[in-house]
């Protein structure tokens, strides 16, 4: 039956009951008034406690995006109330909540900056939501977390895939996962399982609730056909209204049609009541009073700057206006609705301005992210091409990546494009980095081959006894090894141990042979140590000739011991020092003593097939002779300035003495020269 037919039937039924209503009007007025007053009390209590209920349930959601406040369904008013955009936004949100009353709790969940979280943090947040929140209230959060996690893992996956291919892998064989990815997938599987079970139960409940509401509508439709006194019918109507309020959620796509049909037949019932004008006016007055209270509260909210809280409470006011209160007298309908709509528009405009400011903040974040991307591009184009330079660039990129994720949200319309641009820049950097290290690995592989060749030479010659030939070769390959660059890290220790082992093997043999050859020299050294101690203990007799003979005998014994290891020759210097001490104690001519010491020195300078030490001493003596002669000539020239001066003059005497000393020194140096010439 169409709505038009319903109206016609209603008019007919009104006529049939006309007489009955007139005769019972006075008796029923007082009873109905009581019912109206009781109903008014209930609704008034709701209006008075709206703020308390909303504030108690409200959790500040400053980060809520505009998309969270929008819903998909469109509400169509069937009264004189207009359907402006600002009203539609409220009713769309209420329609969404109508399907599942707990959906309103989604607004109380704190919206976090998932973009700035690491994959570990995203997994932890996801697990916390699944464990501690109602499964049906977290969908938008889960979707955002899943999107961010997949984006970050996808970036990692691309990087690992590129490395795999660069190392020679086949793309078709590539596979990569992590324990974190498996954990995230497990959480998501649990979420989907729980959500599926919830919606399966919800579907059954929604259908049952819809059937119940449709049954209530049918009962309201039938009230005008019931032959009973108006008081009983009115009480029945109020009971059905209460049942409607408590009937529970229904499918979202059925919400508006069901409510419009319900509202339509409620108005028909009020038209049915118009025969009892006092009763109808009393109900209209009650509805007007309560709607005025709602308007006053809405106008208070219009002055509040917390746009999210006011929108939440405004939703409740609209739901109460629409579902809990009936119509008012026609002469008031447009006025009160326009006033309520005006307050709603003020809140709506504030909310739009808030999101406009939010978009401006997002634009600032966008500029910051664009700057970060530019810096990544600049680092990518940097010409530094050493391992150290690349390590520095890698650290810089990691810092920029973290800064990008912490830069905050950008406008939704450019979010995907910005993310794609960021990934492209990072991918370009990684491509260059991988190309560098791929070339570095190529060089390292070449270095490895060179070192393997040196290892082969070392191992081929480690047992060779031709020491005079092999020793220079082994020293050369050791020098060449140091000049070769890095090899792959996995091979570094292995090849070094091989090379070191072969070289040590050879040089251990060399040292063993040298030690055998030097055994006699070591024994000679030990004999010289003993003789040195004996010489240190010599006590001179005071008789020069006898003491000189003792010294010469010890010198002869020292020379008879033979050669000692080159690294032990310092003992000869100790012996000569002791001899100098003994010579210094002799009571004899200094010139003779000097020649004795010189003869001993010459014995030490004389080396088989090596005259370098004698040559150096010969040159030294020649220089000293020339130096002394020069001094004598200078002093003799100075005497020419003392003409007609007595030789007893102290100054002249001093010059003459110096000349004499130099001549004596010259005699000794010339004797030394003759001695050294005899050594050749």
């Amino acid at each position: 039956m169409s709505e038009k037919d319903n109206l016609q039937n209603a008019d007919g039924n009104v006529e049939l009951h006309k007489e009955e209503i007139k005769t019972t009007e006075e008796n029923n007025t007082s009873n109905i008034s009581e019912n109206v007053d009781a109903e008014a009390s209930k609704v008034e209590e709701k209006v008075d406690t709206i703020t308390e209920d909303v504030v108690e349930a409200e959790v500040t959601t400053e980060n809520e995006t505009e998309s969270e406040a929008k819903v998909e369904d469109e509400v169509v008013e069937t009264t004189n109330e207009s359907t402006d955009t600002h009203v539609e936004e409220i009713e769309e949100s209420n329609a969404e909540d109508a399907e599942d009353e707990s959906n309103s709790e989604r607004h109380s969940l704190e919206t976090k900056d998932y973009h700035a979280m690491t994959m570990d943090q995203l997994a932890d947040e996801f697990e916390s939501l699944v464990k501690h929140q109602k499964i049906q209230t977290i969908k938008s959060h889960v979707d955002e977390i899943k999107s961010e996690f997949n984006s970050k893992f996808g970036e990692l996956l691309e990087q690992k895939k590129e490395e795999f291919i660069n190392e020679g892998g086949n793309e078709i064989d590539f596979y990569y996962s992590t324990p974190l990815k498996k954990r995230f997938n497990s959480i998501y599987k649990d979420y989907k399982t729980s959500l599926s079970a919830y919606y399966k139960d919800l579907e059954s409940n929604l259908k049952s609730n819809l059937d119940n509401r449709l049954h209530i509508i049918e009962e309201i439709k039938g009230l005008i056909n019931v032959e009973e006194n108006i008081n009983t019918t009115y009480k029945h109507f109020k009971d059905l209204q209460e049942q409607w309020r408590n009937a529970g959620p229904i499918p979202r796509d059925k919400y508006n049609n069901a409510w419009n049909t319900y509202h339509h037949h409620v108005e028909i019932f009020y038209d049915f009541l118009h025969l009892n004008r006092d009763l109808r006016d009393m109900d209209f007055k009650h509805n007007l009073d309560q709607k005025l209270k709602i308007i006053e509260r809405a106008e208070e909210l219009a002055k509040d700057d917390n746009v999210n809280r006011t929108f939440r409470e405004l939703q409740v006011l609209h739901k109460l206006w629409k579902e809990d209160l009936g119509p008012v007298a026609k002469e008031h309908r447009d006025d009160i609705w326009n006033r309520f709509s005006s307050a709603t528009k003020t809140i709506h405009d504030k909310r739009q301005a808030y999101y406009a400011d939010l978009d401006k903040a997002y634009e600032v974040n966008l500029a910051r992210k664009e700057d970060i991307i530019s810096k990544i591009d600049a680092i990518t184009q940097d010409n530094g091409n050493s391992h150290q330079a690349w390590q520095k660039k890698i650290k810089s990129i990691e810092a920029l990546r973290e800064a990008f994720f912490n830069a905050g949200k950008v406008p939704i319309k450019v979010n995907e494009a910005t993310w794609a641009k960021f990934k492209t820049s990072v991918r370009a950097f990684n491509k260059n980095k991988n190309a560098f290290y791929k070339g570095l690995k190529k060089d390292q592989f070449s270095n490895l081959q060179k070192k393997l060749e040196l290892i082969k030479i070392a191992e081929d010659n480690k047992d060779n006894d031709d020491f005079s030939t092999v020793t220079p070769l082994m020293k050369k390959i050791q020098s060449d090894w140091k000049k070769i660059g890095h090899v792959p890290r996995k091979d570094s220790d292995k090849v070094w141990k091989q090379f070191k082992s072969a070289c040590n093997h050879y040089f251990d043999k060399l040292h063993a042979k040298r030690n055998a050859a030097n055994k006699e020299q070591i024994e000679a050294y030990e004999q010289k140590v003993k003789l040195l101690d004996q010489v240190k203990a010599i006590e001179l007799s005071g008789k020069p000739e006898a003491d000189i003979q003792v010294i010469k005998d010890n010198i002869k014994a020292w020379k008879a011991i033979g050669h000692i290891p080159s690294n032990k020759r310092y003992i000869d210097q100790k012996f000569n020092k002791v001899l100098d001490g003994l010579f210094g104690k002799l009571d004899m001519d200094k010139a003779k003593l000097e020649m004795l010491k010189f003869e001993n020195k010459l014995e030490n300078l004389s080396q088989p097939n090596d005259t370098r030490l004698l040559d150096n001493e010969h040159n030294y003596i020649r220089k000293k002779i020339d130096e002394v002669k020069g001094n004598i000539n200078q002093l003799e020239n100075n005497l020419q300035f003392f003409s007609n001066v007595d030789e007893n003059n102290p100054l002249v005497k001093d010059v003459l003495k110096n000349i004499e000393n130099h001549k004596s020194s010259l005699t000794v140096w010339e004797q030394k020269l003759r001695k050294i010439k005899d050594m050749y």
Side-chain angles (χ1 to χ4, degrees):
M1 182 179 294
S2 67
E3 294 180 358
K4 183 177 180 182
D5 293 334
N6 285 333
L7 290 170
Q8 290 175 346
N9 289 340
D11 290 340
N13 289 326
V14 169
E15 293 297 328
L16 290 174
H17 288 279
K18 200 171 187 180
E19 294 299 325
E20 179 183 352
I21 293 172
K22 285 182 178 181
T23 57
T24 59
E25 183 177 293
E26 294 181 0
N27 295 331
N28 293 333
T29 298
S30 60
N31 293 331
I32 295 176
S33 297
E34 293 176 1
N35 292 331
V36 171
D37 290 341
E39 185 67 23
S41 177
K42 290 180 180 179
V43 176
E44 184 173 0
E45 182 180 356
K46 285 189 177 182
V47 175
D48 290 339
T49 59
I50 288 172
T51 304
E52 179 182 353
D53 292 341
V54 173
V55 172
E56 180 180 353
E58 192 269 344
V59 175
T60 302
T61 54
E62 296 297 342
N63 294 325
E64 178 187 27
T65 62
E66 184 173 5
S67 61
E68 290 176 316
K70 293 182 177 181
V71 294
E72 299 173 357
D73 299 327
E74 182 177 353
V75 178
V76 180
E77 291 289 347
T78 60
T79 66
N80 293 330
E81 299 161 1
S82 63
T83 55
D84 293 330
T85 302
H86 54 280
V87 177
E88 288 180 354
E89 184 178 4
I90 296 289
E91 295 197 345
E92 285 171 357
S93 187
N94 279 336
E96 182 179 8
D97 292 345
E99 183 172 75
D100 181 1
E101 292 171 346
S102 63
N103 270 346
S104 60
E105 296 179 20
R106 73 189 187 280
H107 303 296
S108 67
L109 294 180
E110 180 185 2
T111 302
K112 301 181 180 179
D113 189 358
Y114 299 122
H115 187 62
M117 292 185 179
T118 63
M119 288 192 289
D120 284 300
Q121 291 170 331
L122 289 170
D124 291 341
E125 184 67 20
F126 189 9
E127 187 172 32
S128 177
L129 287 174
V130 172
K131 285 183 177 180
H132 303 117
Q133 302 296 337
K134 291 183 178 179
I135 205 71
Q136 69 275 19
T137 65
I138 62 175
K139 182 180 184 301
S140 62
H141 297 262
V142 171
D143 289 344
E144 189 172 353
I145 288 173
K146 183 172 181 287
S147 175
E148 291 295 343
F149 185 91
N150 287 342
S151 294
K152 289 179 171 62
F153 185 78
E155 182 187 3
L156 176 63
L157 193 67
E158 289 177 3
Q159 181 180 345
K160 295 296 182 182
K161 182 177 181 180
E162 190 170 356
E163 291 176 359
F164 176 78
I165 294 174
N166 288 338
E167 291 177 357
N170 193 329
E171 182 175 357
I172 196 172
D173 298 325
F174 176 75
Y175 173 78
Y176 180 78
S177 185
T178 65
L180 179 60
K181 173 62 173 173
K182 293 176 181 177
R183 178 192 168 206
F184 189 89
N185 290 346
S186 177
I187 298 170
Y188 189 74
K189 182 179 180 182
D190 292 343
Y191 164 74
K192 294 296 289 184
T193 300
S194 299
L195 190 64
S196 178
Y198 165 78
Y199 278 117
K200 185 176 182 180
D201 292 339
L202 179 64
E203 183 180 4
S204 176
N205 292 334
L206 293 177
K207 185 177 183 303
S208 176
N209 293 339
L210 177 61
D211 291 340
N212 186 26
R213 286 184 182 269
L214 294 177
H215 178 72
I216 292 171
I217 292 172
E218 289 300 320
E219 286 201 52
I220 292 175
K221 287 168 61 177
L223 288 179
I224 59 177
N225 297 319
V226 176
E227 296 182 1
E228 58 185 6
N229 64 62
I230 194 62
N231 182 44
T232 302
T233 302
Y234 185 78
K235 289 176 65 177
H236 190 186
F237 170 72
K238 288 300 179 182
D239 180 59
L240 290 173
Q241 280 190 311
E242 187 65 24
Q243 291 180 40
W244 177 268
R245 296 187 192 104
N246 299 323
I250 61 175
R252 187 192 311 180
D253 59 344
K254 305 294 183 183
Y255 172 77
N256 286 319
N257 287 336
W259 184 86
N260 289 336
T261 304
Y262 166 76
H263 188 78
H264 170 70
H265 289 290
V266 167
E267 288 193 342
I268 289 178
F269 181 79
Y270 276 106
D271 287 339
F272 171 67
L273 280 182
H274 84 280
L275 297 178
N276 190 332
R277 189 173 301 276
D278 290 339
L279 296 177
R280 187 186 65 177
D281 289 347
M282 189 181 300
D283 210 10
F284 281 173
K285 183 178 183 303
H286 154 69
N287 293 334
L288 177 61
D289 290 341
Q290 301 309 312
K291 287 189 174 183
L292 287 173
K293 288 185 178 182
I294 291 176
I295 292 171
E296 290 171 0
R297 179 56 187 160
E299 290 171 342
E300 290 178 8
L301 292 175
K303 300 175 183 178
D304 193 337
D305 291 329
N306 190 323
V307 295
N308 289 300
R309 182 176 66 238
T310 56
F311 183 78
R312 297 275 74 77
E313 188 170 342
L314 188 62
Q315 275 188 271
V316 178
L317 294 177
H318 272 265
K319 187 173 183 181
L320 186 58
W321 179 290
K322 185 172 183 178
E323 297 189 8
D324 284 18
L325 296 174
V328 300
K330 289 184 179 180
E331 63 268 23
H332 298 299
R333 289 181 186 177
D334 288 344
D335 291 339
I336 64 171
W337 174 251
N338 289 338
R339 186 177 166 189
F340 187 37
S341 177
S342 176
T344 299
K345 186 176 187 304
T346 299
I347 295 172
H348 174 269
D349 291 345
K350 276 190 175 183
R351 194 163 185 264
Q352 294 301 312
Y354 165 77
Y355 283 114
D357 290 340
L358 200 60
D359 284 341
K360 290 179 182 178
Y362 288 171
E363 289 290 344
V364 173
N365 295 342
L366 175 61
R368 188 179 296 118
K369 289 192 172 184
E370 291 283 359
D371 181 59
I372 291 171
I373 293 172
S374 298
K375 290 179 179 178
I376 293 175
D377 291 338
I379 292 175
T380 301
Q381 295 168 6
D382 182 19
N383 294 326
N385 214 31
S386 66
H387 172 68
Q388 185 177 3
W390 272 101
Q391 288 301 306
K392 184 177 179 181
K393 289 195 284 187
I394 289 170
K395 289 181 179 178
S396 298
I397 292 296
E398 286 301 317
L400 289 172
R401 288 182 78 257
E402 184 175 356
F404 183 87
F405 292 132
N406 292 330
K409 295 184 177 181
V410 300
I412 295 175
K413 61 184 179 181
V414 296
N415 183 49
E416 290 186 7
T418 304
W419 174 244
K421 188 176 180 181
F422 169 73
K423 288 198 297 183
T424 299
S425 294
V426 173
R427 191 180 297 116
F429 172 81
N430 287 334
K431 183 178 180 180
N432 290 351
K433 177 194 69 176
N434 292 336
F436 168 77
Y437 280 105
K438 185 177 181 181
L440 192 62
K441 288 180 180 178
K442 184 178 180 180
D443 292 341
Q444 289 179 345
F445 182 78
S446 175
N447 294 338
L448 176 62
Q449 299 307 309
K450 293 177 182 178
K451 288 194 172 183
L452 289 175
E453 291 174 3
L454 295 183
I455 290 173
K456 187 175 186 306
I457 293 173
E459 290 183 339
D460 288 346
N461 289 276
K462 67 180 182 179
D463 293 315
N464 195 324
D465 293 333
D466 186 1
F467 297 111
S468 60
T469 302
V470 176
T471 299
L473 174 64
M474 296 298 280
K475 289 182 178 180
K476 181 179 182 303
I477 64 174
Q478 284 183 323
S479 176
D480 291 344
W481 181 280
K482 294 177 181 179
K483 297 175 183 177
I484 298 174
H486 294 287
V487 301
R489 184 178 300 178
K490 63 179 181 178
D491 300 307
S492 180
D493 289 343
K494 180 182 176 182
V495 295
W496 167 243
K497 288 178 181 178
Q498 282 183 270
F499 184 70
K500 182 179 179 182
S501 176
C503 290
N504 286 346
H505 179 83
Y506 172 79
F507 284 107
D508 286 344
K509 283 185 61 179
L510 176 64
H511 293 153
K513 181 163 185 179
R514 284 181 176 176
N515 288 338
N518 292 338
K519 186 176 180 180
E520 292 181 359
Q521 293 182 0
I522 293 174
E523 291 177 353
Y525 168 74
E526 293 174 350
Q527 292 176 19
K528 282 192 173 184
V529 170
K530 293 179 181 179
L531 180 57
L532 178 63
D533 292 337
Q534 294 174 8
V535 174
K536 287 179 180 179
I538 291 176
E539 294 290 341
L540 296 179
S541 64
K543 297 177 181 180
E545 292 183 1
D547 290 336
I548 289 174
Q549 189 59 47
V550 170
I551 293 173
K552 286 184 175 181
D553 289 343
N554 280 284
I555 292 174
K556 185 177 180 181
W558 184 270
K559 292 179 178 179
I561 292 175
H563 294 292
I564 62 175
S566 58
N567 61 342
K568 303 292 184 181
R569 288 179 182 173
Y570 61 85
I571 199 170
D572 289 333
Q573 296 177 357
K574 289 185 177 182
F575 180 71
N576 289 332
K577 187 174 182 181
V578 173
L579 290 181
D580 288 342
L582 292 174
F583 282 126
K585 294 178 181 180
L586 293 175
D587 184 15
M588 60 183 298
D589 182 70
K590 289 185 178 180
K592 291 182 179 181
L593 182 61
E594 182 66 24
M595 289 304 298
L596 285 174
K597 293 169 62 176
F598 183 69
E599 289 173 0
N600 179 59
K601 182 179 181 180
L602 287 180
E603 292 294 333
N604 291 326
L605 293 178
S606 178
Q607 298 292 332
N609 302 321
D610 189 356
T611 63
R612 286 178 299 173
L613 295 177
L614 286 175
D615 292 342
N616 292 338
E617 187 68 17
H618 178 269
N619 293 332
Y620 174 74
I621 293 172
R622 290 297 299 269
K623 287 181 181 179
K624 292 299 292 185
I625 290 174
D626 292 341
E627 182 182 331
V628 173
K629 286 181 178 180
N631 290 333
I632 292 172
N633 290 334
Q634 182 66 40
L635 290 172
E636 288 177 345
N637 290 334
N638 291 341
L639 284 176
Q640 295 178 8
F641 293 101
F642 297 98
S643 59
N644 301 318
V645 178
D646 189 356
E647 292 184 359
N648 292 325
N649 184 300
L651 186 59
V652 174
K653 289 175 67 175
D654 186 58
V655 172
L656 292 173
K657 184 178 180 181
N658 284 338
I659 292 174
E660 192 62 32
N661 289 337
H662 281 302
K663 287 182 176 181
S664 297
S665 175
L666 179 62
T667 301
V668 174
W669 284 114
E670 288 175 341
Q671 288 177 354
K672 287 183 178 182
L673 182 61
R674 285 193 293 273
K675 282 282 184 182
I676 200 169
K677 285 182 177 179
D678 292 339
M679 297 293 294
Y680 287 99

